[in-house]
Amino acid sequence: MDSEKLNDRWSAVKAQILGYPDVNAAEISAFFSRLEPQAMSDSFLMLTAGNEFIKTWVEDHYLASIQRALFDMTGTPFAVAIAVDPTQEQRQTAQAGAATAAPSPAAAAPVMAQAAGAAVPLAAPATPATPVTAGAGGGLNPVSAVAAGAEPCQVVEVAAPSTVAPVAAPQPFSGAPATPPSPASVAPAGAIETSEASRAAASPAAGSPMDPAAEQPASTLTFSNFVIGESNQMAYSMANEVAGNPGRPIFNPLFIYGKSGLGKTHLMLAIKNYIDKTQPHLRTVYADSADFVSKYMEASVAHDREKASFKNFKHYYEEADVLLIDDIQYLQNKKQCLDMVFQLFNSLTAQGKQVVLSADRAPKNIDVDDRYSSRFSSGGIVEVRPPDIETKLAIVKRFAEECSRNEGFSQCAIPDDIQMYIAENSSSNIRELLSAVTNVLYRMVFSGQSDMTIEGARVLLENHFSGGMSRNLSAEDIQREVENFFKVSHADLLSAKRSRSIAYPRQIAIYLCRQLLDVPYEDIGRKFNRDHSTAIYAVGAIEEKLKKERDVQEEVETLQKILSEL
C-alpha cells in the first residue's frame, strides 16, 4: 500500500471515529494529528507516535475506538499497534519549516530487537492475532508486517509496544477510557490552580542549602487529566510540545495567558511533571510570582546578616534547565523583582534553556516596560479561552466520576440533566463549576438524596453561580442592565438603527437572553422587535467574538455578574 493510499485510509478511520457519540473532537484533533500510519493489512494497522506520552494516551483512551472504526468500515476485527518513533517529531517540525531540533529526550529511545547482537527494525506481527510480547530476558521480539501481508509505507526503528492483544469482535462503545486513570492522578482542567501552585512552589528558605531532590513535591496535575476542548486545545498542544522538546527557539519562551481558573497552572505543572518523569536529568523549577517576590524579599533582608543569601536565591533559579513562572502580572510595579526575572530570563534563554510564563492577560497588556513585554512575546504566545458548554460538561463528568471513586460515592451518580444545568450556569472559572459538583454530590450522599431532581439542584445552587441563570430574571432586566452598561437608550436598543454603538449592545442583550433565560429564539426576537432569525444571528455573532476578543469576554462576564446579583 503506497503512502498516499495509507494516509487516505487513516483519514477515513479518523472521520469514522468523529461520527461516534461522546467523542471529543478536540482530543481527536490534538492527538491523532501526532500519529502516523506505517503499515496496514487486511486485519492489522501499525501507527507511530512521536513520543511515549502520545502513544500511551491514545492506547488508554482511543484504541478501542480505532478498532471499532476499522471493524465498522471493513467488517473485520483488527489488531492495532502503536509504537514510538523518536524521529517523527523532527520530521514534522522540518516539514513545518521550523528550526531543526535534537531528538526529544522525552521520547523513548528506539528499542531494537536483538538478534545475534544486531539491531532489527520493528515491523508488524507475523499474524495479526498473535500478541507481541517481551522476549526472554526482557528483550522485545522482532515482528514483521510484511510476513502478515501488510505493506509498510516506510521502515522505521521504533519502540515496540509491550503487548498487542488479539482482538475479538469489537464491544459496544461506551465512551469511557480503555484503561481508567488511577484515582490519585485525575483532576480536571483548571480544578486547582493557586492552592496547588502554592504547594508545588514550596522551596527551601532563602540562603539555606538547596537539595534538588527535595525541592518541590510532585503535583497530580498532568497532561493526561487535563480536559481538552476547543477553548484550550492550542494551549495544550504547545505546552505538550515544550514538555517533549524543551528549549526549542520557536517556543522559548512559551507565554500562556487567560483569566483565572481556566487551567493555566494545570498546564504549567503538567509540563513540570512530564519533564521530571521523562527527563529526570533536567532540573525543572516552578515558581508562583507571589512566592518569588516573598523569597526575593527574604533573601534581600537576610543579605545584611548572611552575604551568601542573595547569591543562593539567584543560583536556585539560574541552575534550572526549565523555569516556569506563574502569574507574571503580579510583578507589575515591583521593579527589582521584575529586573531579577528579566536577568534570569535572558540568561536561561541564551543558554537554550526553557522558560515558561503565565499571566491573566497578554504580554502587551501587562503594565511593564516595553523591553520586558517584547521579550516575553518573543517565543510562543497562546491564550486559554473560557470553556464552551461541551468542555464544561466534559469537566463536570470527569470530576463527578473521580469524586465518586475517591470518596466511595459510587452509589451516587449525578443525573445528566443536573450535569448539564451545572455546565450551563457556571461561569468560565472552573473552580466554581467543580465546587457545584462537590456540593451536589455531598448533598446526595449525606442527605440521602441519591435521586436528586433538577429542581432540587436549582434550590441547592441558587446562590452559587456568579454568572448563571437568575430565577427571577426577565428580558426586561437584561435590556435595562445592558442599556446602563453601554449608555444607550431603551428606544435605541429596540429601534432599527444599525450603527455599531447600538447594534453591538443589542446583540449582547440578545445573547444574554438566550444564555440566561429558558425561552426560545422567537420569544427573544419579539422582545427586541425582531424575528427569530435575527436573534439566532446575534447569538452566533457574539459567540464568534467570545472566541477571539478578550474585551467581549470581559464585558459579557461583567454583565452576567451584574445580572446574577439582581
Side-chain angles (χ1 to χ4, degrees), residues 76 117 124 126 135 188 196 241 269 275 296 320 446 451 501 524 542:
T76 302
E196 183 75 49
E241 286 288 344
L269 290 173
I275 295 174
Y296 180 91
F446 293 112
D451 56 347
S501 62
I524 295 174
I542 296 302

Side-chain angles (χ1 to χ4, degrees), residues 412-433:
C412 290
I414 299 180
D416 290 346
D417 57 348
I418 296 179
Q419 290 187 20
M420 180 58 74
Y421 173 79
I422 293 172
E424 288 180 334
N425 289 277
S426 61
S427 71
S428 64
N429 191 313
I430 305 303
R431 298 189 193 96
E432 179 180 278
L433 180 150

Side-chain angles (χ1 to χ4, degrees), residues 396-467:
V396 168
K397 290 180 179 296
R398 171 79 66 85
F399 187 65
E401 291 169 359
E402 188 55 32
C403 279
S404 295
R405 283 198 299 268
N406 284 347
E407 303 297 330
F409 298 161
S410 56
Q411 74 280 12
C412 290
I414 299 180
D416 290 346
D417 57 348
I418 296 179
Q419 290 187 20
M420 180 58 74
Y421 173 79
I422 293 172
E424 288 180 334
N425 289 277
S426 61
S427 71
S428 64
N429 191 313
I430 305 303
R431 298 189 193 96
E432 179 180 278
L433 180 150
L434 300 180
S435 175
V437 174
T438 301
N439 287 349
V440 169
L441 271 176
Y442 274 79
R443 175 62 64 88
M444 292 172 67
V445 171
F446 293 112
S447 298
Q449 299 180 22
S450 58
D451 56 347
M452 180 181 284
T453 64
I454 186 67
E455 289 304 321
R458 285 195 180 104
V459 172
L460 175 64
L461 301 173
E462 61 181 342
N463 297 315
H464 182 83
F465 300 117
S466 62

